[in-house]
Amino acid sequence: MMSARLLKGAAVPVGAVVLALAVGALLVAATGGDPVDLGTQIVDRVLLDYWGLSDLLSRMSPLLLAGIAVAIPLRAGLYNVGAEGQIYMGGLFATVVALNLPAGVPMPVALLAASLAGALGGALWAGIAGVLKARRGIDEVVTTLLMNYVALNLVSYAASGPLKAPGAPYPYSPEIPEASFLPLLMADTEAHLGVIVGLLVAVLARFALGRTAWGYGVEVAGKSPGAATYAGIAVGRTTVIAFALGGAAAGLAGAFEVIGLKHRLYANFAAGYGYDGLVVAFLAAGDPVWSVISAAFMALLRTAATTLKSAGLDATAVTIVQGLIVLFAASGLALQRYGAFDRLLARRRRAAIPTAGSGAVS
């Protein structure tokens, strides 16, 4: 039974990826290219190359945390489209704390303070949408989407105003103290320990959702809010907590982008990771652990596109595959949500059952 549910849940995302890769390969072949050679180039330049692999890991960290930010509310039946803004608020909070720590603070304390500040920034920002949903029933898709623009403009204002480095020719903050730098995972690269923290967060989120009474309440509230209320589950509180936890994961991603990679704040410092987190979560069917695989895959496509372009090769097919995955995954989930697959299977089962007398020997 568990295997059947697992296969059913994986059918749409796996089908979307396979269809996207197949259509992408056909497009490459139709334009005179060689899809096998393109795949070989991606494997050689990303997966089997030290620098390519480090780029993949540095991109996987924010994608994974953004995916978890979407996945946790999704289990409660909520659509968090605001991971992008929550990432930016996390980066802003982490920068403010890192720049204002007293001199001589030990590195573990500085790292912990900046990381927690980032998580707090994301949680507070997402919590606003959660409260509006719980108290007033305001659509969370609208609020989280609009709040993205507010967050991006807040960061842009901070980097060009209160936090702007003295004498800087462009709007960016001073570099944070070295004590707040997140250690590297691979020497002399941009791959930092954020991806390891992301893996731990995925495991913790999976445990909390699958093995605790709170996680059971989230599941029930997501599938049947009426039944959850009848069972004594505080649906409103569950909504706010689910949003806040998701926002904390996204805020952590923003903090890691600042303390692990950029080391200063500026506008558009993490462009697009929050929106790609939606794809990561939907490909993982809302499962934080499966988000690890989908985040790695999306990071591979992002890295492949950049690497191929920098090598002077045509990366158009990779970009098209990214778009096709979104298109096929969204279409599949929509069909699944409205029961199209179940109706098709039921029709086939009825057709396979012999009618009365059809099996009689003449």
Side-chain angles (χ1 to χ4, degrees):
M1 182 68 72
M2 179 68 76
S3 300
R5 280 204 301 267
L6 190 64
L7 286 173
K8 186 178 178 182
V12 169
V14 171
V17 171
V18 170
L19 272 174
L21 291 175
V23 174
L26 287 174
L27 286 174
V28 171
T31 54
D34 184 350
V36 176
D37 180 61
L38 180 63
T40 305
Q41 292 275 2
I42 292 174
V43 171
D44 286 344
R45 292 175 182 274
V46 179
L47 296 178
L48 300 181
D49 182 79
Y50 182 79
W51 304 103
L53 186 60
S54 70
D55 285 348
L56 185 151
L57 292 175
S58 70
R59 288 182 169 88
M60 181 180 166
S61 171
L63 285 171
L64 173 56
L65 288 165
I68 295 170
V70 179
I72 293 176
L74 193 61
R75 295 290 282 269
L78 304 164
Y79 293 91
N80 178 17
V81 191
E84 183 83 357
Q86 293 146 25
I87 287 174
Y88 276 80
M89 293 307 291
L92 176 61
F93 272 54
T95 304
V96 170
V97 169
L99 289 176
N100 289 283
L101 286 172
V105 172
M107 176 178 276
V109 176
L111 282 175
L112 188 62
S115 301
L116 289 178
L120 178 64
L124 290 174
W125 200 247
I128 295 172
V131 170
L132 291 173
K133 174 71 176 181
R135 294 290 179 88
R136 300 294 180 186
I138 299 175
D139 192 306
E140 76 276 12
V141 175
V142 176
T143 53
T144 51
L145 186 62
L146 293 178
M147 287 173 71
N148 284 341
Y149 295 99
V150 179
L152 265 65
N153 281 294
L154 274 175
V155 168
S156 179
Y157 165 73
S160 60
L163 292 181
K164 185 178 179 183
Y170 302 105
Y172 53 73
S173 74
E175 187 173 89
I176 61 174
E178 197 168 343
S180 300
F181 284 14
L182 196 61
L184 294 177
L185 188 63
M186 298 170 69
D188 301 323
T189 68
E190 294 183 339
H192 50 72
L193 287 179
V195 68
I196 302 297
V197 178
L199 294 174
L200 293 175
V201 171
V203 173
L204 283 174
R206 172 71 173 277
F207 176 80
L209 289 169
R211 301 282 181 178
T212 65
W214 176 80
Y216 177 73
V218 169
E219 193 84 21
V220 175
K223 290 181 177 174
S224 177
T229 303
Y230 183 76
I233 297 171
V235 176
R237 188 172 61 192
T238 302
T239 296
V240 176
I241 294 175
F243 258 111
L245 289 177
L252 207 52
F256 290 163
E257 280 298 288
V258 172
I259 67 175
L261 191 61
K262 310 295 188 337
H263 299 151
R264 62 174 80 239
L265 186 76
Y266 53 85
N268 298 320
F269 72 93
Y273 282 124
Y275 296 115
D276 280 357
L278 286 166
V279 184
V280 169
F282 286 132
L283 283 179
D287 188 312
V289 170
W290 282 108
S291 295
V292 176
I293 296 174
S294 57
F297 182 69
M298 292 301 292
L300 172 65
L301 292 180
R302 266 190 175 232
T303 308
T306 306
T307 304
L308 292 177
K309 282 178 186 173
S310 63
L313 300 171
D314 186 8
T316 308
V318 179
T319 308
I320 291 175
V321 167
Q322 285 179 286
L324 288 173
I325 288 174
V326 177
L327 177 66
F328 289 140
S331 303
L333 288 168
L335 290 172
Q336 190 180 47
R337 182 174 181 180
Y338 292 106
F341 296 137
D342 292 336
R343 287 197 295 273
L344 180 62
L345 289 173
R347 197 177 304 158
R348 289 195 171 188
R349 285 194 206 101
R350 285 197 298 273
I353 297 173
T355 56
S358 64
V361 178
S362 60

